[in-house]
Amino acid sequence: ADFSRLGETVEELEQAGADRIHWDVMDGVFVPNLTIGPDVIHSCRPRVEIPFEAHLMVIDADELVPRYVEAGCDLILVHQEACVHLHRTLQNIRDLGVSPGVVLNPATPASTIEHVMDLVDQVLVMTVNPGFGGQAYIETMEHKIRQVAEMIATSGRDIDLEVDGGLAVPTVAAPAEAGANVVVAGSAVFKDPDGFHHAISAIRDAALAARA
Ligand code: ZN
């Protein structure tokens, strides 16, 4: 997005049919880039009704989670790789009254979250390495998406399976077919010359067709 006009942009995204706003929060330590703090998210919160989710690419999630809850995020995603006490961190997010989610980097096996499946409302399988927008989709993640889909089925819980990174009309069918039901799109939406509504509709249609 154009960071100089985020307020208008979230309004335009809601009007264009986006189901949620996904905030990529980078701390300059866990990932080399530095992005959005809670005050920015808080200032955008009154502009739209759709849920906000914070994808925390940070080294100290426990310290920062309450700030992002206060900023108005409905779902907080933390990285398996960044949380020494992942089980406790996810419980703490639930105790703050919002939904916990866990994120897996491309190199992290699905089995590492086996023992927190009872605590999460969403699993995010990264389809790029986190840190920058505009990277190419990693298709070897599809096997892991299938593994996570099986773990969700085994859990018997209503857990969303999200994918994030390099997703656009040409790439979304395979992860959707593998089991993903939530798709994060950045570049594919913001760089579509035909606008946000066109991009969101086309990606959703391609994903739903693959899941049918
Ligand atoms: Zn993200």
Side-chain angles (χ1 to χ4, degrees):
D2 177 350
F3 276 28
S4 71
R5 50 185 303 278
L6 286 173
E8 292 91 335
T9 302
V10 294
E11 289 175 358
E12 289 165 16
L13 288 166
E14 183 177 58
Q15 287 157 16
D19 296 309
R20 340 176 167 168
I21 303 295
H22 176 96
W23 295 95
D24 277 328
V25 175
M26 307 183 187
D27 69 350
V29 181
F30 180 63
V31 291
N33 209 351
L34 188 60
T35 59
I36 297 164
D39 293 341
V40 174
I41 297 176
H42 187 252
S43 68
C44 291
R45 183 61 279 189
R47 310 277 293 240
V48 292
E49 300 285 326
I50 51 176
F52 278 8
E53 64 180 31
H55 174 191
L56 300 185
M57 289 166 265
V58 304
I59 212 74
D60 197 347
D62 292 311
E63 183 73 22
L64 288 170
V65 160
R67 303 281 318 280
Y68 287 87
V69 174
E70 289 162 16
C73 294
D74 307 278
L75 191 148
I76 306 281
L77 292 151
V78 295
H79 268 263
Q80 186 277 348
E81 306 84 8
C83 297
V84 176
H85 302 290
L86 178 64
H87 191 275
R88 178 191 294 151
T89 298
L90 293 167
Q91 279 184 322
N92 287 345
I93 294 170
R94 178 81 69 195
D95 290 344
L96 290 168
V98 300
S99 286
V102 66
V103 190
L104 296 170
N105 272 340
T108 308
S111 59
T112 57
I113 57 166
E114 186 183 345
H115 301 292
V116 295
M117 293 299 284
D118 59 320
L119 299 178
V120 297
D121 291 338
Q122 183 164 297
V123 177
L124 167 50
V125 176
M126 290 303 296
T127 47
V128 300
N129 286 287
F132 298 94
Q135 300 183 80
Y137 170 76
I138 304 171
E139 57 184 58
T140 51
M141 292 301 109
E142 286 154 22
H143 176 61
K144 181 158 60 177
I145 295 164
R146 284 182 206 285
Q147 288 179 317
V148 173
E150 283 174 22
M151 290 163 64
I152 291 171
T154 303
S155 78
R157 298 185 63 249
D158 183 16
I159 301 172
D160 283 326
L161 176 40
E162 181 174 50
V163 281
D164 182 6
L167 294 158
V169 170
T171 52
V172 79
E177 196 273 331
N181 70 322
V182 180
V183 175
V184 179
S187 301
V189 172
F190 296 117
K191 292 184 178 168
D192 189 326
D194 296 320
F196 295 170
H197 182 266
H198 174 267
I200 291 169
S201 302
I203 294 166
R204 181 184 283 118
D205 289 350
L208 289 173
R211 285 176 62 82

